[in-house]
Amino acid sequence: MNKLILVGISSLLVVAVAIGVVVVSVSKSSSSDDDNLSTTSKSVSTICTQTDHKQLCVASLGSVASNETATPIDFLLAAINYTISSFRDSAVSSEDLGKSVTDSYHKMAMEDCQELLQDAVSELQASFSAVGDSNLHTVQDREDELKNWLSAVISYQQSCLDDITQPELKSSMSNGFLNATQLTDNALAIVSAISKIFSAFNIPIFGKAKAEGEDASSSSRRLLEADGLPSWLPTIDRKLLAVNNNNIKPNAVVAKDGSGQYKSIGAALAAYPKNLNGKYIIYIKAGVYDEYITIPKDQKNIFMYGDGSRKTIVTGDKSNAKGVPTFKTASFSVVGDGFLCKSMGFTNTAGPEGHQAVALRVQSDMSAFYNVRMDGYQDTLYAQAKRQFYRNCVISGTVDFIFGDAAQIIQNSLLIVRKPMDNQQCIVTAQGRSNNKETTGIVIQNCRIVPEQKLEATRFKVPSYLGRPWKEYSRSVIMQSTLGDFIQPAGWMPWEGDFALNTCFFAEYQNRGPGSATNSRVKWKGVKVITNAQEAQQFTVGPFIQGNQWLPSTGVPFFLGLKLTRK
């Protein structure tokens, strides 16, 4: 197996070198992207017109450029494969850079970068396989899935850079990522314009419907099966999750008092079976579990439930103040897709003086949390990447306490703003969308935003905001929610100077409560009040996280569209 991997990597490196020659020749042959496109084949020009980094796009399609019978799928495969090669090069470069790092903080940060780059390669490989397993019509059906994976790749790059504070090291890493960053942007642009590209190739557009004559094998490769539930969820689980938890027989029982099979959550996860067919169900009895947990990417479809969000608690106290990068401060981290959690609590007890200190970090696709509590101060919930849903949850914190770059919807939940340190301001969201093509954002729907009791008396002396733009295209939407009177009339707070004020997207729709008045909101170009229900609809469970495709199987209650309001 190792020999095969080495051969594969060597082959990719050979391809990378060959493509590198193409990049050089392309750069020398033209002074502008538009001129460069005019000298390429019509097919390559059609594809690359959709991208921002056109010269690099032309280079990435070099392996199929002369193929007169190449389809859009062939071009997309070439673009993704080229991007994989670039990420592998970035991983090698960052590993070399890491060898020169001497301080413990940045050693950990560089190790995190290696992990995140491997995650990026995994998402790209999944994209490559999904496109390769599709035909000309079914690739359109996988558009949302592909955009989700490619958005995650961008998130991983940013997560790597976010924890590097040494300017020269950060600059070196950023420069090393440049090609990979631009290539990912191009791939996302191509996928986003797939219908337009098909039209240019004179290929009929079938949308999300089944194409006439499509065989059963191609249909089975779709995200959804015939019963409307996701293909990754085995049939036995579709029935299992439809019943009450009391009737579910767990695979593993965790109890600190020894009344279960395991005394720790880590031990139960270590027993995760190979070749799992179905959900791995873990029941965690009441108790405070002081252990740092990461559910890795190869542990998928875990259903974990406890005795209540104030009874079954996972806790930790790692923080930036203790010299730990934000990525590694999480008390509980979930990477494996299809994670379902119910009736549990996650805390980070570092306190406000700990600064960045994560209670829960999530990069699990199609993950859902129900009756879950997350308590911390700064950076409580790190919704890092992919599609996530939170229902009937409690999330508390002070600064940027809901942050990350996932496509995330929080519905029917309680958001509690806590008392910060002196001279601190409170901010509910800090969304990390760094590319305008990403399908990510924080959506808070039908929730309540309130101060904790300790903040109540001084709530007007501590400035509290709905969010601030962490990245250039930061996107947060607060809708149909109740906002307490302590929310600043300005609503939104700058990150630094005029950074991202014109490019962010901060929106409000049909909010209520004394803090919901919008007449004094900041006048940035990126801030708006939505008045059209159709515009607000795009940020609901169906279109934003494709929840209609996977949430029914979880057993978690939800509503797909806008909440009906009484007139």
Side-chain angles (χ1 to χ4, degrees), residues 123-124 126-131 133-134 138-153 188 191 208 220-224 230-232 300 337 365-366 386-387 439 543-546 549-550:
E123 305 299 348
L124 289 165
S127 300
F128 187 90
S129 296
V131 174
D133 286 345
S134 302
T138 59
V139 72
Q140 296 172 82
D141 294 332
R142 310 202 75 161
E143 182 180 333
D144 290 328
E145 200 173 6
L146 290 166
K147 288 191 289 188
N148 172 58
W149 286 330
L150 292 170
S151 295
V153 170
L188 191 51
V191 171
K208 303 296 181 183
S220 68
R221 288 193 291 261
R222 295 185 179 204
L223 174 64
L224 298 186
S231 57
W232 54 261
K300 299 180 180 180
D337 292 342
D365 193 25
M366 294 186 283
K386 301 183 180 177
R387 294 166 290 190
T439 57
F544 197 66
I545 59 172
Q546 296 78 57
Q549 300 177 1
W550 58 276

Side-chain angles (χ1 to χ4, degrees), residues 13-252:
L13 290 174
V14 169
V15 171
V17 171
I19 293 175
V21 173
V22 177
V23 174
V24 172
S25 62
V26 168
S27 299
K28 289 181 178 179
S29 66
S30 175
S31 59
S32 73
D33 282 348
D34 290 337
D35 289 343
N36 185 53
L37 280 181
S38 67
T39 62
T40 63
S41 71
K42 181 179 178 181
S43 296
V44 171
S45 179
T46 298
I47 300 288
C48 292
T49 297
Q50 313 303 324
T51 67
D52 291 337
H53 310 285
K54 295 178 175 60
Q55 284 189 322
L56 198 53
C57 176
V58 171
S60 70
L61 303 183
S63 61
V64 290
S66 60
N67 184 352
E68 295 181 0
T69 62
T71 69
I73 287 180
D74 296 319
F75 286 105
L76 183 54
L77 286 171
I80 295 172
N81 196 45
Y82 188 99
T83 308
I84 291 172
S85 178
S86 183
F87 265 94
R88 291 192 185 279
D89 289 345
S90 295
V92 172
S93 297
S94 66
E95 187 176 14
D96 290 340
L97 278 172
K99 293 175 182 177
S100 64
V101 174
T102 56
D103 67 283
S104 60
Y105 175 91
H106 281 101
K107 277 186 176 295
M108 285 189 283
M110 294 302 287
E111 289 171 1
D112 293 343
C113 281
Q114 286 298 306
E115 180 180 334
L116 287 161
L117 287 171
Q118 290 306 314
D119 288 342
V121 170
S122 293
E123 305 299 348
L124 289 165
Q125 288 173 331
S127 300
F128 187 90
S129 296
V131 174
D133 286 345
S134 302
N135 60 35
L136 285 173
H137 307 304
T138 59
V139 72
Q140 296 172 82
D141 294 332
R142 310 202 75 161
E143 182 180 333
D144 290 328
E145 200 173 6
L146 290 166
K147 288 191 289 188
N148 172 58
W149 286 330
L150 292 170
S151 295
V153 170
I154 294 171
S155 174
Y156 299 150
Q157 291 174 278
Q158 289 298 310
S159 294
C160 166
L161 295 173
D162 288 336
D163 276 337
I164 299 174
T165 60
Q166 206 280 330
E168 290 183 3
L169 179 60
K170 189 163 192 165
S171 178
S172 295
M173 287 293 291
S174 183
N175 290 336
F177 282 168
L178 186 60
N179 260 22
T181 300
Q182 293 179 350
L183 286 165
T184 307
D185 179 277
N186 281 352
L188 191 51
I190 294 169
V191 171
S192 299
I194 198 71
S195 295
K196 186 185 294 185
I197 291 170
F198 272 38
S199 295
F201 275 73
N202 294 318
I203 297 171
I205 304 299
F206 290 87
K208 303 296 181 183
K210 181 178 178 180
E212 183 179 354
E214 182 181 298
D215 62 27
S217 62
S218 64
S219 179
S220 68
R221 288 193 291 261
R222 295 185 179 204
L223 174 64
L224 298 186
E225 297 291 353
D227 57 8
L229 297 178
S231 57
W232 54 261
L233 188 69
T235 303
I236 188 172
D237 292 330
R238 300 164 197 238
K239 299 175 181 177
L240 183 66
L241 295 181
V243 300
N244 189 282
N245 285 350
N246 295 331
N247 299 320
I248 294 176
K249 183 179 179 181
N251 300 95

Side-chain angles (χ1 to χ4, degrees), residues 426-442:
C426 291
I427 306 104
V428 178
T429 68
Q431 206 278 327
R433 185 167 170 257
S434 61
N435 184 297
N436 63 351
K437 301 177 187 67
E438 287 183 83
T439 57
T440 59
I442 296 171

Side-chain angles (χ1 to χ4, degrees), residues 433 473-477 503-507 526 528 530 535 539:
R433 185 167 170 257
Y473 296 96
S474 179
R475 178 162 64 178
S476 292
V477 179
T503 52
C504 68
F505 182 85
F506 290 157
K528 72 176 302 182
I530 297 175
E535 183 178 357
F539 300 108

